[in-house]
Amino acid sequence: MHSGPKLHHQRRHELGQSFQDGGEHYERVRPGYPAESADWLIPAGARNAADLGAGTGKFTALLVGRGLHTVAVDPSVDMLAQLRRTQPAVSAVEGTAEQTGLPADAFDLVTVAQAWHWIDPLPASTEIARILRAEGVLGLIWNQLDTSVPWVRRLSRIMHAGDVLTPHFAPTLGPEFTALEGHLTHWEDAVTTADLLELAKSRSYYLRASEPIRAKVLGNLGWYLREHLGHAPGEPIPLPYLTHTWRAVRA
């Protein structure tokens, strides 16, 4: 098994740090997740969930909407401020997947959406197993652009969308988990050319880039959308996505 983008530990840390700020922008421009992903993932009878690397609460909202008492954990104060604004009923705490600070044997479900590739998977597996109840479920979720569509594949390259997973991808987990299985959801997000420019600005590549590189990315993206593809300002564009959802059981 392999765990998505192959990042050296230090590089993973540097890129992950780019999300410490900008919570309002992230909340506004990043897509949510399809309901099907949560419906497939949540085990029958689950009552308590922890959403790790919760960010602004994009996946947290699905857990809350299905009646789960949910605790959200993220290292970014700025992201958690947005989460508290949109999900005031959720308990939001600073922490990481490797060190959650949460009580042992307390949760039926632990989820990590769009963040496992920023996490050290083996110590995180140990920590998640500690806070899960016996036979509790770990869920890992990734949104990605559907690069099987040719125009989207070129779009992802211009945006440097590094979270695109290979066809045979499977997440790395520690020995604390077993019975790994996956689910794939195809869906579309309605966006405009302005939305796509803002989406590019929320990517870790753009956030860590110099001003000349940022200008080049936005210039190339504007040319591609408006001149090459011919989209008018404000025109709705159905943007194809895939959501990979994985679940495993605490051994």
Side-chain angles (χ1 to χ4, degrees), residues 201 205-219:
K201 293 178 185 179
Y205 177 87
Y206 182 91
L207 293 171
R208 300 289 297 182
S210 66
E211 286 303 323
I213 291 177
R214 289 182 176 189
K216 181 178 180 181
V217 169
L218 296 181

Side-chain angles (χ1 to χ4, degrees), residues 41-207:
L41 176 61
I42 298 171
R47 298 178 61 187
N48 298 297
D51 191 22
L52 311 184
T56 63
K58 295 284 189 178
F59 198 80
T60 313
L62 293 181
L63 301 175
V64 172
R66 281 150 184 78
L68 275 71
H69 178 266
T70 305
V71 177
V73 178
D74 198 272
S76 168
V77 174
D78 190 55
M79 292 283 188
L80 289 177
Q82 295 299 316
L83 189 148
R84 292 186 181 106
R85 181 181 61 81
T86 60
Q87 300 291 330
V90 170
S91 175
V93 298
E94 285 183 64
T96 66
E98 297 89 348
Q99 292 183 304
T100 65
L102 300 178
D105 303 312
F107 300 96
D108 306 303
L109 172 67
V110 171
T111 57
V112 183
Q114 214 72 18
W116 194 249
H117 51 289
W118 304 125
I119 289 166
D120 197 338
L122 298 184
S125 293
T126 300
E127 172 68 354
I128 291 167
R130 183 187 68 80
I131 67 174
L132 273 173
R133 296 187 177 121
E135 299 185 353
V137 170
L138 167 61
L140 306 179
I141 307 96
W142 278 272
N143 272 342
Q144 71 167 78
L145 297 171
D146 185 355
T147 56
S148 67
V149 180
W151 79 265
V152 179
R153 181 166 58 252
R154 187 169 181 184
L155 175 75
S156 74
R157 289 173 178 166
I158 294 171
M159 293 173 60
H160 293 265
D163 54 356
V164 174
L165 307 178
T166 62
H168 303 294
F169 165 80
T172 297
L173 300 176
E176 298 87 353
F177 290 94
T178 188
L180 178 68
E181 55 183 334
H183 181 78
L184 190 63
T185 304
H186 294 258
W187 62 287
E188 292 180 342
D189 191 29
V191 297
T192 64
T193 55
D195 293 332
L196 287 171
L197 289 169
E198 292 302 311
L199 183 62
K201 293 178 185 179
S202 77
R203 296 282 178 174
S204 60
Y205 177 87
Y206 182 91
L207 293 171

